[in-house]
Amino acid sequence: MKIEHLISQIKKKKSFLCVGLDTDLDKVPQHLLSEDDPIFSFNKAIIDATCEYCVAYKPNIAFYEAYGLNGWKSLERTMDYLNVEHPDIFTIADAKRGDIGNTSFRYAKAFFETLNFDSITVAPYMGRDSVEPFLEFKDKHTILLALTSNKGAFDFQTLDVEGKQLYKSVLRTSQGYKNAENLMYVIGATKASFLKEVREIVPESFLLVPGVGAQGGNLQEVCKYGMAKNIGLLVNSSRGILYASQGEDFAEKAGLKAKTIQEEMEVELDRLT
Amino acid sequence: MKIEHLISQIKKKKSFLCVGLDTDLDKVPQHLLSEDDPIFSFNKAIIDATCEYCVAYKPNIAFYEAYGLNGWKSLERTMDYLNVEHPDIFTIADAKRGDIGNTSFRYAKAFFETLNFDSITVAPYMGRDSVEPFLEFKDKHTILLALTSNKGAFDFQTLDVEGKQLYKSVLRTSQGYKNAENLMYVIGATKASFLKEVREIVPESFLLVPGVGAQGGNLQEVCKYGMAKNIGLLVNSSRGILYASQGEDFAEKAGLKAKTIQEEMEVELDRLT
């Protein structure tokens, strides 16, 4: 997907919500477990109930890998469903991959071609030749981990590296990679003030922001410090939507929750214009 | 596998060779391509020809993921074959995973339980709570990326962080994680002198060393600087063995190549005693 198309979808739907499809069979409503492919059944119901209110879906690949071959089948079916029924919705493989060049290229093919995702999250630790193979794909996007929303983020990401924090070095250095226009960044929302410093380095890049809601971030703060001229934000919610109810009304409740977030986002977008 | 068992296997076979199963259908001999599962057929032939000379196998997961569901089936069959026929051989999922706690735990389950690998490579960028879920598994090993063998390693891993290079900070900090005795480290062999500095921080940890041979490292140098009292080394070779020949004699040639490396290793091990 071209970035302009993502931006036009955000404006049309008045939403920059990304729904994280972290589907966990331990939390899926009981009545789905007797179905052939309960993960896909759950995802389909969630998608049908929330697609009006969001512009992106983000399956975290770990949740599918954990179920082996069956998990991969559910992921393929979910992606087929999204690609056929909702081609206007941006898809993110939350895979946090990264390897030496030749191998990163294979991951890129797996997610961008075999599964036809629009984007993938990638870890920066191995540097340029682990990231550039992803950047080669036209109209596909590489979302580099910069500052994550977990506690462990402070182990290395915020260490002082030659006068600046490591995550800033990741932002700056990666902007020099070939095809850097295909880069987006993961920036956790645990301290929204970080976003201000991020915007000094990458004023227009899209940021994928996890950690709003469940992990303590605040949408208004994120928008205040993080919104760019082209909006430049995708804010993710996973558990808060998926498991809004664990009863038979799970999809309806998920839809209501997504709608509530969309409405808050609409207020923020109106401020921009 | 208990670490003591790995060490006893190294002593018995006089080898610390790890064979990287980076199986690429573009490089597999033509005559295998007509088989039902050419990846597994190739792997089985390579394993049968090299198992006498090595103590570990390391499939790089990207090569399997690139082929979608069929790739996962080939990986499962390969692991079943290794677990049943060669339970004394250490297995490494070269997956370079890492995510927030709950999600890392799912990756750990996928590789340690569903696929029954003895170990997995993990990226350190997200810190403690992305690594510790892997360390919880008894007799399973987490091989943290510290210093990789690619050019991009110098983008971030060797940056000066508060007076020391980032990869040393990764070594030191991770030694404070819970169950750190289950940690091993990836240390590229592009500059063997790095290994000396690594041994000052982790004198006894097992190191997985890629980049000997194809990527320019030298076995004698690696042993001089990297060998510990308990040996503490697994040296990987992938392409040099797998594609020693692309003809019908590929397995025989792979076996000969593995034997040559084993004999060089035997010389190094004899020096130790």
Side-chain angles (χ1 to χ4, degrees):
Chain A
M1 185 183 291
K2 286 187 192 303
I3 200 85
E4 294 75 19
H5 191 70
L6 172 59
I7 297 167
S8 79
Q9 286 296 305
I10 292 174
K11 289 180 178 166
K12 185 176 154 199
K13 289 180 160 175
K14 298 180 185 294
S15 169
F16 43 95
L17 173 62
C18 172
V19 175
L21 296 173
D22 302 354
T23 306
D24 180 345
L25 287 181
D26 295 341
K27 291 184 182 164
V28 155
Q30 278 288 323
H31 72 281
L32 289 179
L33 296 179
S34 57
E35 300 212 0
D36 268 0
D37 184 347
I39 296 179
F40 175 69
S41 299
F42 179 81
N43 287 353
K44 182 177 175 301
I46 292 286
I47 292 166
D48 290 345
T50 59
C51 60
E52 211 180 316
Y53 310 113
C54 71
V55 293
Y57 287 107
K58 178 175 76 65
N60 187 312
I61 306 306
F63 284 78
Y64 301 84
E65 264 187 19
Y67 299 111
L69 275 180
N70 286 336
W72 274 88
K73 276 184 207 159
S74 305
L75 180 63
E76 279 196 0
R77 289 185 72 188
T78 302
M79 284 307 294
D80 285 346
Y81 186 70
L82 283 172
N83 281 314
V84 171
E85 300 295 326
H86 301 285
D88 286 331
I89 296 188
F90 190 73
T91 50
I92 302 169
D94 195 1
K96 302 186 178 72
R97 298 296 193 263
D99 207 310
I100 59 173
N102 176 32
T103 313
S104 268
F105 184 72
R106 298 199 158 251
Y107 279 128
K109 273 181 78 88
F111 289 102
F112 289 157
E113 292 184 353
T114 310
L115 289 164
N116 197 23
F117 274 97
D118 293 309
S119 67
I120 182 175
T121 58
V122 167
Y125 191 70
M126 294 180 72
R128 180 189 290 262
D129 54 347
S130 73
V131 179
E132 286 185 342
F134 291 98
L135 296 174
E136 280 176 30
F137 289 72
K138 195 165 181 280
D139 298 331
K140 300 287 186 180
H141 306 271
T142 301
I143 310 178
L144 205 59
L145 303 184
L147 184 63
T148 56
S149 60
N150 62 321
K151 276 191 193 166
F154 301 97
D155 271 12
F156 307 115
Q157 297 168 25
T158 54
L159 287 182
D160 189 323
V161 176
E162 294 163 11
K164 55 179 181 281
Q165 289 164 305
L166 178 60
Y167 80 91
K168 292 186 191 171
S169 175
V170 167
L171 292 173
R172 243 185 268 268
T173 300
S174 62
Q175 281 293 305
Y177 292 168
K178 196 174 170 192
N179 301 312
E181 67 277 11
N182 293 333
L183 277 173
M184 300 180 174
Y185 298 95
V186 172
I187 302 287
T190 44
K191 285 192 186 177
S193 60
F194 278 124
L195 283 162
K196 194 176 168 189
E197 301 182 46
V198 167
R199 281 297 178 210
E200 287 168 12
I201 306 171
V202 288
E204 291 300 327
S205 299
F206 256 83
L207 309 179
L208 172 63
V209 183
V212 175
Q215 286 162 297
N218 171 303
L219 184 67
Q220 286 72 34
E221 293 265 296
V222 166
C223 293
K224 179 177 170 191
Y225 295 113
M227 205 175 269
K229 263 184 261 169
N230 66 0
I231 302 149
L233 288 177
L234 288 171
V235 168
N236 183 71
S237 175
S238 302
R239 283 165 287 175
I241 291 174
L242 299 192
Y243 310 116
S245 156
Q246 286 183 268
E248 298 212 0
D249 62 346
F250 73 99
E252 186 195 338
K253 288 285 158 60
L256 286 174
K257 181 76 192 172
K259 185 168 186 286
T260 305
I261 301 175
Q262 179 273 320
E263 287 166 349
E264 290 173 31
M265 288 178 167
E266 186 168 346
V267 172
E268 298 301 320
L269 286 168
D270 284 343
R271 270 191 237 272
L272 195 69
T273 49
Chain B
M1 184 183 291
K2 285 188 192 304
I3 200 82
E4 295 75 18
H5 191 69
L6 173 59
I7 297 168
S8 79
Q9 287 295 306
I10 292 175
K11 290 181 178 166
K12 184 178 157 198
K13 289 180 161 178
K14 297 180 186 295
S15 169
F16 43 95
L17 174 61
C18 171
V19 175
L21 295 173
D22 303 353
T23 306
D24 180 346
L25 286 181
D26 295 340
K27 292 186 183 162
V28 155
Q30 279 287 324
H31 72 279
L32 290 179
L33 296 179
S34 57
E35 301 212 0
D36 268 0
D37 184 347
I39 297 179
F40 175 69
S41 298
F42 179 80
N43 286 353
K44 182 177 175 299
I46 291 287
I47 291 165
D48 291 344
T50 58
C51 60
E52 211 181 315
Y53 310 112
C54 70
V55 294
Y57 286 107
K58 177 176 77 64
N60 186 313
I61 305 306
F63 284 78
Y64 300 85
E65 264 188 18
Y67 299 111
L69 274 181
N70 286 335
W72 274 89
K73 276 184 206 158
S74 304
L75 180 63
E76 280 196 0
R77 287 185 72 189
T78 302
M79 284 308 295
D80 284 347
Y81 186 69
L82 284 171
N83 280 315
V84 171
E85 298 296 325
H86 301 285
D88 286 332
I89 297 189
F90 190 72
T91 50
I92 302 169
D94 195 1
K96 303 187 175 72
R97 297 296 193 264
D99 207 310
I100 59 172
N102 176 31
T103 313
S104 269
F105 184 71
R106 297 201 158 247
Y107 279 127
K109 272 182 77 90
F111 289 101
F112 290 157
E113 292 184 352
T114 310
L115 289 163
N116 197 22
F117 275 96
D118 293 310
S119 67
I120 182 174
T121 58
V122 168
Y125 192 71
M126 295 180 72
R128 179 190 290 263
D129 55 347
S130 73
V131 179
E132 287 185 341
F134 291 97
L135 296 174
E136 280 175 31
F137 288 73
K138 195 165 181 283
D139 298 329
K140 300 286 184 180
H141 307 271
T142 301
I143 311 179
L144 205 58
L145 303 185
L147 184 63
T148 57
S149 60
N150 62 319
K151 277 189 191 167
F154 301 97
D155 271 12
F156 307 115
Q157 297 168 24
T158 54
L159 287 182
D160 189 322
V161 176
E162 293 163 11
K164 55 179 181 282
Q165 291 165 305
L166 178 60
Y167 80 91
K168 292 186 191 171
S169 175
V170 167
L171 292 173
R172 240 183 270 267
T173 301
S174 63
Q175 281 293 306
Y177 293 169
K178 195 173 171 193
N179 301 312
E181 67 278 10
N182 293 333
L183 277 173
M184 301 181 173
Y185 298 95
V186 171
I187 303 287
T190 44
K191 286 192 184 177
S193 59
F194 278 124
L195 283 162
K196 194 175 168 191
E197 301 182 46
V198 168
R199 281 297 179 211
E200 287 168 13
I201 306 171
V202 288
E204 291 299 326
S205 298
F206 256 82
L207 308 180
L208 172 63
V209 183
V212 175
Q215 287 161 294
N218 169 304
L219 184 67
Q220 287 72 35
E221 293 265 296
V222 166
C223 293
K224 180 176 168 191
Y225 295 114
M227 205 174 266
K229 263 184 260 171
N230 67 358
I231 301 149
L233 287 177
L234 287 172
V235 168
N236 183 71
S237 175
S238 302
R239 284 164 287 173
I241 291 175
L242 299 192
Y243 310 117
S245 157
Q246 286 183 267
E248 298 212 358
D249 63 347
F250 73 99
E252 188 195 336
K253 288 284 159 61
L256 287 173
K257 182 74 192 169
K259 185 169 187 284
T260 306
I261 301 175
Q262 179 274 318
E263 287 167 351
E264 290 173 31
M265 289 178 167
E266 186 167 347
V267 174
E268 297 301 321
L269 287 169
D270 284 345
R271 272 190 234 274
L272 194 69
T273 49

